Amino acid sequence: MDSPKTMYDTAAKEMLMLATRDSDHHQEHLLGLFKWRQETHLCRFSTPYPEKPYILSIHKIASGLDPHLTKSLRNQSHMPVFKVHPKVEFLGKNYLLGLASDMLILLSGEDIVYCLVHPKKGVDASYRSGTDTMDLGTP
């Protein structure tokens, strides 16, 4: 019988393989761990606006990861870990958030308008700006 560590390592390896083989995964996408409140999420992210590198486009792959699985993922891939501000509603699947220091926060109104005026491939109205009542389709 395999040890628990071996089982978590195997699960992490499979999860990483599936995440990178997903048809929505592109070369410019990176994988990261996003900590929100007491949960950890595996997400695919990119910076769709080179002129605004603090704006992250985030797509959740897996939610509520077990701490041991999280540790195995970090050990295998050395992916970055981001903190999402606890007041951001991080319950959906797709987000546009701003990176301020070491914390992901809501975009400013100016940044939301910028994203609407300069649409990017892979970032559409389904990407939320971090609240349940406001998404990019309704600034």
Side-chain angles (χ1 to χ4, degrees):
M1 179 174 224
D2 290 338
S3 72
K5 182 186 179 328
T6 302
M7 292 184 340
Y8 284 115
D9 288 346
T10 301
K13 185 176 181 179
E14 289 177 16
M15 185 177 275
L16 290 169
M17 182 182 64
L18 290 172
T20 55
R21 288 188 179 172
D22 185 339
S23 62
D24 290 331
H25 187 80
H26 300 287
Q27 186 176 3
E28 68 274 6
H29 292 151
L30 300 171
L31 295 177
L33 294 170
F34 290 72
K35 293 184 177 276
W36 177 66
R37 296 182 182 165
Q38 301 300 318
E39 297 180 352
T40 302
H41 307 271
L42 174 64
C43 299
R44 177 175 36 249
F45 72 96
S46 66
T47 52
Y49 302 95
E51 62 279 13
K52 293 187 176 266
Y54 58 88
I55 295 178
L56 296 184
S57 167
I58 303 162
H59 173 79
K60 240 188 252 182
I61 297 171
S63 295
L65 299 178
D66 177 273
H68 299 291
L69 179 58
T70 300
K71 184 177 179 182
S72 291
L73 284 167
R74 288 194 69 197
N75 289 340
Q76 289 185 30
S77 65
H78 306 290
M79 64 181 73
V81 178
F82 297 95
K83 291 183 234 170
V84 179
H85 195 283
K87 289 191 177 183
V88 171
E89 289 300 324
F90 200 65
L91 299 171
K93 196 156 179 104
N94 299 315
Y95 286 91
L96 282 173
L97 295 175
L99 185 60
S101 184
D102 67 341
M103 182 81 61
L104 287 163
I105 60 172
L106 298 176
L107 294 177
S108 69
E110 179 182 324
D111 286 332
I112 292 171
V113 170
Y114 183 88
C115 294
L116 286 170
V117 173
H118 301 91
K120 293 287 184 173
K121 181 181 177 187
V123 178
D124 58 29
S126 70
Y127 278 73
R128 294 177 173 223
S129 60
T131 66
D132 279 337
T133 58
M134 182 170 55
D135 63 33
L136 285 180
T138 56

